[in-house]
């Protein structure tokens, strides 16, 4: 066997087996069944490979003439620093389970270095490539692993790189750069995924966008420290690479021990970033354990009451929520021992009898009596120094220099609970298991609110072991309480990755409910995650994180395209707000199958001051789109909205999905297609705004809607409309 050709979902991965090496000849567009003579790509040149650059190895090595960052690095003191891995076994078969897709299994060894690497590359039916690598120490003494990255080449036409960055309450913002010689490395050193970590590292053809261009992208399914890299060496060869970031001395393999690197996910698209999204979304929706029930409307109590827990207030809040149509009521921070503010109590996971003399039972029973699920906030990985647990077990606090050493700098009055310590792990497991056994809890909001830059156990770096301990805790609790859903919240969006989502049911995209901030955060979080996995809530009119004030219609339109909920004291609603919010909740429930089962479409706009996106049903029978203004435009009228993604050969009725906010329309009034469905007091062009259009709309072919589009109303900044398309005939 001199080659392995994986084909699925319109993608090919072509591996050449020669000179004991595995060379990645191609990852990208489907090459068809026959590829011809691979000798054209270079054969064995034992003494002159530096003179004749070869395709990149699956595991780049200096011993294979790679001049960049190696895929595997480690040592045995001064020995085995530069392995030369040689293929011993290679096979190609179908993905188990009877589905489409193909899988390559390879074994590479270096007897002199005492190493074996097992690599499994699975090209899923969706065209998403999953790469798993395991290194085993076959030598007679310890081997220190420095890195085991997954590297994949990208072709010369990929000249631009994209990654994401951010901060608390402003996660997932894109940045671009031209690919030039050298390495652009994004290191995440937070002991969690991180607010500023990139969800993907991507390369693409010039000016690639959401709907056009070729794109190659990689994501690492890991919730600890990690690196993402795009690199071009002097030969012009370019690679994307992702891997766990291992700290000095963190991972040492005794003879016979193995390290399995986190799964790397790689997506190729010939139709822009939306093609990357389509592969990730299809893969996630097809996996075992993906949420299969309609995503319930959530009311979280945090921005309603904060730490001021009172049974009377909370039952009133539950009543108001139920009357709106809420389906899941989540009690946030403040219910456990001594927790009156965020400086104390973490670790003491007992219901506080001073606040809850009868336990949580009265509230839980009231919530259940109103037909809602009950959820509870926890932060099991953290500990306050002002807590009973810290006073009784100071050795359970993670310390860089061991149990007798100093603690790290405090963050939000918190330290990290050392879950690598089996006693600390057992305590937290017992506490959570007891809570889930005592109360009929349907949902845990699992928070993790701090970075830890020097996380240690017994004087050694322990991010790797701590991450695995958290995974083990989640896996154990889910096995014991399979009906309980879990949300990953980490100061908002600081733990958003496919590692944590193997064991949770959604992520909290950000701690901000500011709809303007959320437009960008949710758009780019959705590059990998489908809407049903991304919590999106309507907050109070004035955002608690930014101080900006938005009309309810803008907040609703933004939150609809996720797992919809509220974080607001809904007891205080005006009659008009209650009517509008109740209608929005009913609209969300009616459209859940489309919102959470359709294909995501982001429309490329010429004006950066507005945005448009939507979801299209798999059979193209329906679609929902949002048109939103983000800032004041330099143009008097917005460009027409071209509805990408719909079937050009069908006929659609286009109408407003929700009533138009009377404060949204600027000086231009309504275009004709909206006036057709407006109420009798709708303004003509140039008249003062004040309409509540909803309705009949217009009928046009999909081709006209895609190629010509429809004029949009001139909206004031930070307003939005929801447009509904329904196939007729």
């Amino acid at each position: 066997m001199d080659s392995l050709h994986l084909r699925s979902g319109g993608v090919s991965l072509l591996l050449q087996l020669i000179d004991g090496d595995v060379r990645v000849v191609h990852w990208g567009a489907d090459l068809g069944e026959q590829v011809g003579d691979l000798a054209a790509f270079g054969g064995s040149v034992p003494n002159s490979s530096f003179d004749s650059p070869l395709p990149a190895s699956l595991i780049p090595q200096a011993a294979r003439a790679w001049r960049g960052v190696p895929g595997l690095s480690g040592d045995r003191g001064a020995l085995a620093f530069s392995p030369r891995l040689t293929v011993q076994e290679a096979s190609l078969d179908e993905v188990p389970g009877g589905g489409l897709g193909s899988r390559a299994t390879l074994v590479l060894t270096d007897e002199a270095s005492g190493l074996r690497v097992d690599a499994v590359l699975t090209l899923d039916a969706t065209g998403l490539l999953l790469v798993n690598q395991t290194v085993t120490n076959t030598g007679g003494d310890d081997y220190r692993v420095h890195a085991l990255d997954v590297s994949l080449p990208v072709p010369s036409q990929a000249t631009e790189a994209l990654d994401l960055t951010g901060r608390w309450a402003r996660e997932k913002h894109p940045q671009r750069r031209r690919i030039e010689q050298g390495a652009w490395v994004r290191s995440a050193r937070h002991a969690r995924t991180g607010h500023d970590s990139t969800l993907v590292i991507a390369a693409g053809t010039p000016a690639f966008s959401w709907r056009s261009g070729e794109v190659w992208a990689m994501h690492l399914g890991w919730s600890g420290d990690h690196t993402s890299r795009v690199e071009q060496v002097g030969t012009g060869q370019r690679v994307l690479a992702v891997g766990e970031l291992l700290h000095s001395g963190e991972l040492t393999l005794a003879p016979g021990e193995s390290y399995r690197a986190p799964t790397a996910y790689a997506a190729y698209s010939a139709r822009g970033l939306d093609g990357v999204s389509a592969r990730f979304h299809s893969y996630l929706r097809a996996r075992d354990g993906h949420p299969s029930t309609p995503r319930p409307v959530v009311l979280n109590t945090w921005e309603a009451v904060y730490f001021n827990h009172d049974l009377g207030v909370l039952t009133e809040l539950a009543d108001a929520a139920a009357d709106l149509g809420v389906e899941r009521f989540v009690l946030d921070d403040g219910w456990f021992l001594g927790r009156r503010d965020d400086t104390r109590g973490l670790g003491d996971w007992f219901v506080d009898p001073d606040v809850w003399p009868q336990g949580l039972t009265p509230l839980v029973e009231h919530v259940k009596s109103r037909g809602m699920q009950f959820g509870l906030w926890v932060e099991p990985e953290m500990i306050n120094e002002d807590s009973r647990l810290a006073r009784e077990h100071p050795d359970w606090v993670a310390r860089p220099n061991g149990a007798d050493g100093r603690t790290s700098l405090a963050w939000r009055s918190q330290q990290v609970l050392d879950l690598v310590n089996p006693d600390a792990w057992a305590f937290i497991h017992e506490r959570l298991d007891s809570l889930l056994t005592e109360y009929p809890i349907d949902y845990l909001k699992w928070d993790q609110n701090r970075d830890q830059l020097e996380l240690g156990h017994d004087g050694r770096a322990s991010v790797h072991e701590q991450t695995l301990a958290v995974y083990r805790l989640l896996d154990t609790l889910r096995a014991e309480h399979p009906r309980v859903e879990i949300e990953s919240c980490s100061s908002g969006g600081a733990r958003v990755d496919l590692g944590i989502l193997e064991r949770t049911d959604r992520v909290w995209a950000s701690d901000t409910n500011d709809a303007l901030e959320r437009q960008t955060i949710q758009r780019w979080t959705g590059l990998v995650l489908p809407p049903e996995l991304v919590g999106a809530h309507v907050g109070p009119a004035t955002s608690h994180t930014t101080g900006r004030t938005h009309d309810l219609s803008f907040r609703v339109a933004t939150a609809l395209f996720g797992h919809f909920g509220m974080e607001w004291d809904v007891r205080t609603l005006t009659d008009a707000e209650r009517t509008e919010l109740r209608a929005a909740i009913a609209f969300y429930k009616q459209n859940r199958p489309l919102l959470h089962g359709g294909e995501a479409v982001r429309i490329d706009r010429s004006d950066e001051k507005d945005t448009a996106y939507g979801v299209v049903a798999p059979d193209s029978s329906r679609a929902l789109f949002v048109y939103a203004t983000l800032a004041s435009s330099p143009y008097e009228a917005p460009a027409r909205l071209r509805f990408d993604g719909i079937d050009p050969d069908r006929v659609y009725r286009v109408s407003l999905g929700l009533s138009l906010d009377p404060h949204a329309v600027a000086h231009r009034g309504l275009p004709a297609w909206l006036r057709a469905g407006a109420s009798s007091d709708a303004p003509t062009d140039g008249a003062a705004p004040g309409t509540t259009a909803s309705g009949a709309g217009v009928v046009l072919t999909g081709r006209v809607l895609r190629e010509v589009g429809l004029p949009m109303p001139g909206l004031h900044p930070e307003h939005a409309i929801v447009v509904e398309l329904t196939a007729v005939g």
Side-chain angles (χ1 to χ4, degrees):
M1 181 181 295
D2 61 359
S3 67
L4 299 174
H5 185 193
L6 288 74
R7 295 180 63 219
S8 188
V11 177
S12 280
L13 177 70
L14 182 59
L15 306 176
Q16 183 184 29
L17 308 180
I18 192 168
D19 191 27
D21 194 15
V22 184
R23 299 174 189 163
V24 183
V25 175
H26 172 80
W27 164 47
D30 186 12
L31 299 177
E33 291 187 10
Q34 302 296 325
V35 296
D37 188 358
L38 293 187
F41 298 101
S44 177
V45 192
N47 299 314
S48 59
S49 58
F50 277 87
D51 299 324
S52 177
L54 303 174
S57 297
L58 177 64
I59 303 174
Q61 305 153 66
R64 298 289 185 184
W66 178 248
R67 307 181 206 185
V69 179
L72 170 64
S73 62
D75 64 73
R76 301 180 189 277
L79 305 175
F81 73 94
S82 181
R84 181 182 173 91
L85 296 167
T86 301
V87 178
Q88 302 298 324
E89 300 175 25
S91 63
L92 182 65
D93 57 12
E94 293 184 354
V95 175
L100 299 175
S102 51
R103 182 182 64 184
T105 303
L106 300 124
V107 177
L108 303 93
T109 65
D110 180 358
E111 291 187 11
S113 297
L115 296 173
R116 168 180 168 140
V117 175
D118 292 78
V120 179
L121 299 91
T122 304
L123 193 60
D124 186 78
T126 66
L128 189 69
L129 176 64
L130 285 67
V131 183
N132 289 286
Q133 297 182 154
T134 302
V135 59
T136 300
N137 179 9
T138 60
D141 54 1
D142 290 351
Y143 179 76
R144 296 180 296 198
V145 181
H146 301 163
L148 180 57
D149 294 343
V150 172
S151 302
L152 290 171
V154 293
S156 59
Q157 65 263 34
T159 60
E160 292 185 12
L162 177 143
D163 57 88
L164 306 179
T165 186
R167 59 166 173 80
W168 176 77
R170 197 179 183 274
E171 298 90 337
K172 308 299 182 294
H173 278 58
Q175 55 185 13
R176 288 179 181 251
R177 59 187 28 82
R178 179 174 175 79
I179 299 175
E180 297 177 330
Q181 188 165 337
W184 172 252
V185 181
R186 293 295 311 281
S187 297
R189 300 171 182 268
H190 305 279
R192 55 178 174 173
T193 317
H195 287 108
D196 65 345
S197 69
T198 182
L199 192 60
V200 298
I201 187 79
T205 51
F208 69 89
S209 64
W210 284 104
R211 302 294 295 174
S212 66
E214 284 189 285
V215 185
W216 295 259
M218 294 184 72
H219 167 87
L220 188 71
W222 179 245
S223 309
D225 291 350
H226 59 281
T227 61
S228 304
R229 183 175 76 255
V230 56
E231 183 176 19
Q232 177 175 295
V233 296
T235 61
Q237 294 170 297
R238 296 163 183 166
V239 298
L240 297 178
V242 293
E244 182 180 2
L245 192 161
L246 293 166
H247 297 271
S248 177
E250 188 171 17
L251 186 60
T252 299
L253 301 179
E257 288 186 338
S258 300
Y259 161 62
R260 177 173 176 172
T263 300
Y265 300 81
Y268 163 76
S269 166
R271 56 184 184 93
L273 291 165
D274 269 359
V276 170
S277 272
R279 297 200 191 282
F280 275 105
H281 292 188
S282 297
Y283 166 78
L284 288 167
R285 285 171 171 168
R287 70 201 164 117
D288 293 338
H290 190 74
S292 58
T293 58
R295 299 294 77 209
V297 178
V298 176
L299 187 286
N300 185 283
T301 66
W302 178 242
E303 291 192 14
V305 299
Y306 292 106
F307 293 104
N308 299 318
H309 285 200
D310 176 87
L311 179 59
V313 169
L314 288 165
T315 54
E316 290 176 5
L317 187 61
D319 288 338
D323 290 342
L324 289 168
V326 168
E327 299 162 306
R328 175 178 286 166
F329 184 91
V330 181
L331 182 66
D332 211 284
D333 196 358
W335 56 269
F336 49 97
L337 283 180
R339 188 65 166 179
R340 304 286 71 78
D341 56 43
D342 65 359
T343 67
R344 49 189 165 156
L346 283 177
D348 298 339
W349 301 109
F350 300 88
V351 178
D352 193 330
D354 293 337
V355 179
W356 299 96
Q358 296 176 274
L360 297 177
T361 298
L363 178 62
V364 175
E365 290 182 346
H366 186 79
V367 167
K368 296 280 188 176
S369 74
R370 295 306 309 265
M372 296 183 290
Q373 298 177 1
F374 181 80
L376 191 66
W377 179 95
V378 293
E379 192 174 2
E381 302 161 61
M382 298 295 122
I383 185 170
N384 285 133
E385 293 180 353
D386 185 2
S387 66
R388 187 173 75 184
L389 186 66
R391 287 186 286 272
E392 292 179 353
H393 297 282
D395 54 316
W396 290 4
V397 177
R399 301 170 189 267
N401 298 313
D404 296 330
R406 60 175 173 81
T407 59
S408 64
L409 294 174
W411 175 304
R412 298 181 77 249
S413 302
Q414 295 178 199
Q415 295 290 345
V416 176
L417 188 67
D418 183 8
L419 293 177
V420 182
N421 183 315
D423 294 332
W425 189 97
F427 171 81
I428 291 298
H429 168 257
E430 185 278 328
R431 282 290 76 229
L432 295 178
D433 178 53
S434 294
L435 286 165
L436 294 173
T437 300
E438 180 178 359
Y439 297 106
I441 295 169
D442 302 285
Y443 179 81
L444 287 179
K445 179 180 177 181
W446 186 298
D447 214 339
Q448 196 267 48
N449 271 312
R450 72 156 290 171
D451 284 354
Q452 170 58 290
L453 306 184
E454 44 179 13
L455 186 60
H457 171 78
D458 285 347
R460 295 175 55 193
S462 62
V463 177
H464 173 77
E465 291 181 279
Q466 180 83 4
T467 305
L468 293 179
V470 173
Y471 284 175
R472 191 169 67 255
L473 182 59
L474 286 162
D475 292 341
T476 302
L477 289 168
R478 287 178 71 92
E480 294 168 339
H481 305 277
R483 68 177 186 82
V484 176
E485 292 192 357
I486 301 176
E487 173 185 35
S488 171
C489 174
S490 186
S491 313
R495 190 151 65 183
V496 175
D497 62 80
L498 298 192
I500 201 69
L501 274 166
E502 287 184 18
R503 40 199 49 93
T504 58
D505 299 278
R506 81 169 198 173
V507 298
W508 184 228
S510 179
D511 275 347
T512 186
N513 287 314
D514 180 318
L516 181 62
E517 295 289 350
R518 278 280 183 151
Q519 285 287 330
T520 299
I521 292 167
Q522 291 174 196
R523 186 181 188 90
W524 288 95
T525 301
L527 176 59
V528 169
L529 305 188
E532 63 269 27
L533 297 182
V534 181
H537 290 180
V538 176
T542 299
S543 169
H544 290 202
T545 57
T546 66
R548 269 194 290 256
T549 299
H550 291 127
D551 288 338
L552 180 55
S553 63
F554 186 52
R555 287 139 56 206
V556 163
T558 302
L560 273 174
F561 285 74
H563 181 175
F564 184 82
M566 288 153 286
E567 200 156 327
W568 187 10
D569 188 351
V570 293
R571 299 175 305 156
T572 65
L573 300 180
T574 65
D575 289 344
E577 287 174 327
R578 187 171 292 105
T579 298
E580 187 175 353
L581 192 53
R582 187 178 285 123
I585 291 171
F587 184 82
Y588 167 77
K589 290 179 179 178
Q590 177 185 353
N591 287 285
R592 270 187 292 216
L594 172 58
L595 289 165
H596 298 161
E599 181 171 344
V601 175
R602 291 84 164 188
I603 299 173
D604 295 318
R605 299 283 292 170
S606 58
D607 185 357
E608 295 182 352
K609 307 302 183 183
D610 65 13
T611 187
Y613 53 92
V615 289
V616 179
D619 64 358
S620 297
S621 61
R622 295 189 64 234
L624 287 174
F625 285 88
V626 166
Y627 169 71
T629 53
L630 307 180
S632 174
S633 173
Y635 307 112
E636 290 185 358
R640 290 173 180 159
L641 177 56
R642 297 168 60 184
F643 294 88
D644 285 345
I646 61 174
D647 186 343
D649 297 321
R650 301 189 77 163
V651 176
Y652 291 90
R653 181 176 299 279
V654 186
S655 59
L656 275 178
L658 289 170
S659 296
L660 182 62
D661 188 327
H663 304 293
V665 184
H667 66 284
R668 297 295 298 173
L670 295 175
W673 72 275
L674 273 175
R675 286 203 306 272
S679 59
S680 59
D681 64 342
T684 59
D685 283 354
T691 183
T692 55
S694 62
V698 294
V699 175
L700 291 165
T701 67
R703 197 172 306 278
V704 169
L705 291 168
R706 284 175 59 140
E707 301 301 329
V708 181
L710 284 176
M712 289 293 103
L715 301 180
H716 287 298
E718 300 171 29
H719 285 83
I721 60 171
V722 178
V723 183
E724 185 171 3
L725 280 68
T726 304
V728 297

